[in-house]
Amino acid sequence: DGDGRVYVVDALFDTVQIFDASGRLLLNFGQRGSDRGAFWLPNGLCLEDGARIYVADAYNQRVQVFELLDADQSAPR
Protein backbone atom coordinates (compact mmCIF):
# COMPACT_ATOMS: atom_id res chain seq x y z
CA ASP A 1 0.00 0.00 0.00
CA GLY A 2 1.03 3.66 0.08
CA ASP A 3 2.66 3.17 3.49
CA GLY A 4 4.82 0.25 2.31
CA ARG A 5 2.77 -2.46 3.96
CA VAL A 6 2.46 -5.87 2.28
CA TYR A 7 -0.80 -7.84 2.50
CA VAL A 8 -0.77 -11.64 2.28
CA VAL A 9 -3.72 -14.01 1.99
CA ASP A 10 -2.71 -17.27 3.67
CA ALA A 11 -5.04 -19.98 2.34
CA LEU A 12 -3.34 -22.73 4.38
CA PHE A 13 -4.12 -21.08 7.74
CA ASP A 14 -7.22 -19.14 6.55
CA THR A 15 -5.82 -15.76 7.61
CA VAL A 16 -4.75 -12.39 6.26
CA GLN A 17 -1.34 -11.12 7.31
CA ILE A 18 -0.06 -7.55 7.08
CA PHE A 19 3.69 -6.86 7.11
CA ASP A 20 5.67 -3.63 7.15
CA ALA A 21 8.25 -2.87 4.46
CA SER A 22 10.93 -4.63 6.54
CA GLY A 23 8.95 -7.87 6.69
CA ARG A 24 7.86 -7.47 10.32
CA LEU A 25 4.37 -8.88 11.01
CA LEU A 26 2.01 -6.05 11.98
CA LEU A 27 -1.35 -7.81 12.02
CA ASN A 28 -2.76 -11.28 11.51
CA PHE A 29 -6.52 -11.83 11.40
CA GLY A 30 -8.97 -14.58 10.53
CA GLN A 31 -9.41 -18.25 11.25
CA ARG A 32 -11.10 -21.20 9.57
CA GLY A 33 -14.87 -21.06 9.62
CA SER A 34 -17.97 -19.45 8.19
CA ASP A 35 -18.65 -16.78 10.83
CA ARG A 36 -17.88 -13.11 10.25
CA GLY A 37 -14.13 -12.60 10.16
CA ALA A 38 -13.46 -16.27 9.48
CA PHE A 39 -12.43 -17.73 6.12
CA TRP A 40 -12.44 -20.99 4.26
CA LEU A 41 -9.74 -20.80 1.59
CA PRO A 42 -9.29 -17.05 1.22
CA ASN A 43 -7.76 -16.58 -2.22
CA GLY A 44 -7.37 -12.87 -2.91
CA LEU A 45 -7.72 -9.37 -1.58
CA CYS A 46 -8.10 -5.83 -2.78
CA LEU A 47 -7.33 -2.55 -1.02
CA GLU A 48 -9.50 0.53 -1.38
CA ASP A 49 -8.06 3.91 -0.43
CA GLY A 50 -5.66 2.27 2.04
CA ALA A 51 -8.49 1.79 4.53
CA ARG A 52 -10.78 -0.99 3.31
CA ILE A 53 -9.65 -4.56 2.69
CA TYR A 54 -11.86 -6.78 0.54
CA VAL A 55 -11.07 -10.48 1.02
CA ALA A 56 -12.31 -13.14 -1.42
CA ASP A 57 -13.45 -16.06 0.74
CA ALA A 58 -13.66 -18.83 -1.87
CA TYR A 59 -15.35 -21.79 -0.21
CA ASN A 60 -17.74 -19.58 1.77
CA GLN A 61 -18.68 -17.95 -1.57
CA ARG A 62 -18.45 -14.37 -0.34
CA VAL A 63 -16.34 -11.27 -0.12
CA GLN A 64 -15.73 -9.87 3.35
CA VAL A 65 -14.89 -6.22 3.95
CA PHE A 66 -12.59 -5.00 6.74
CA GLU A 67 -11.42 -1.52 7.66
CA LEU A 68 -7.97 -0.52 8.90
CA LEU A 69 -8.08 1.90 11.80
CA ASP A 70 -5.52 4.38 13.07
CA ALA A 71 -3.47 3.40 16.10
CA ASP A 72 -5.99 5.15 18.38
CA GLN A 73 -8.75 2.97 16.77
CA SER A 74 -11.00 6.01 16.36
CA ALA A 75 -10.78 6.96 12.70
CA PRO A 76 -10.12 5.17 9.40
CA ARG A 77 -6.76 5.71 7.75
Side-chain angles (χ1 to χ4, degrees), residues 34-54:
S34 59
D35 294 335
R36 290 182 189 174
F39 307 108
W40 188 14
L41 191 67
N43 63 348
L45 63 77
C46 178
L47 297 176
E48 178 184 48
D49 299 328
R52 286 197 179 97
I53 305 170
Y54 296 83

Side-chain angles (χ1 to χ4, degrees), residues 45-66:
L45 63 77
C46 178
L47 297 176
E48 178 184 48
D49 299 328
R52 286 197 179 97
I53 305 170
Y54 296 83
V55 180
D57 188 7
Y59 283 7
N60 284 319
Q61 300 178 342
R62 63 186 178 184
V63 173
Q64 294 194 68
V65 182
F66 302 89

Side-chain angles (χ1 to χ4, degrees), residues 1 3 5 7 27 49-52 66-77:
D1 68 8
D3 293 324
R5 292 180 293 238
Y7 298 75
L27 179 64
D49 299 328
R52 286 197 179 97
F66 302 89
E67 191 165 2
L68 280 176
L69 301 176
D70 282 334
D72 67 3
Q73 305 264 328
S74 64
R77 283 182 52 90

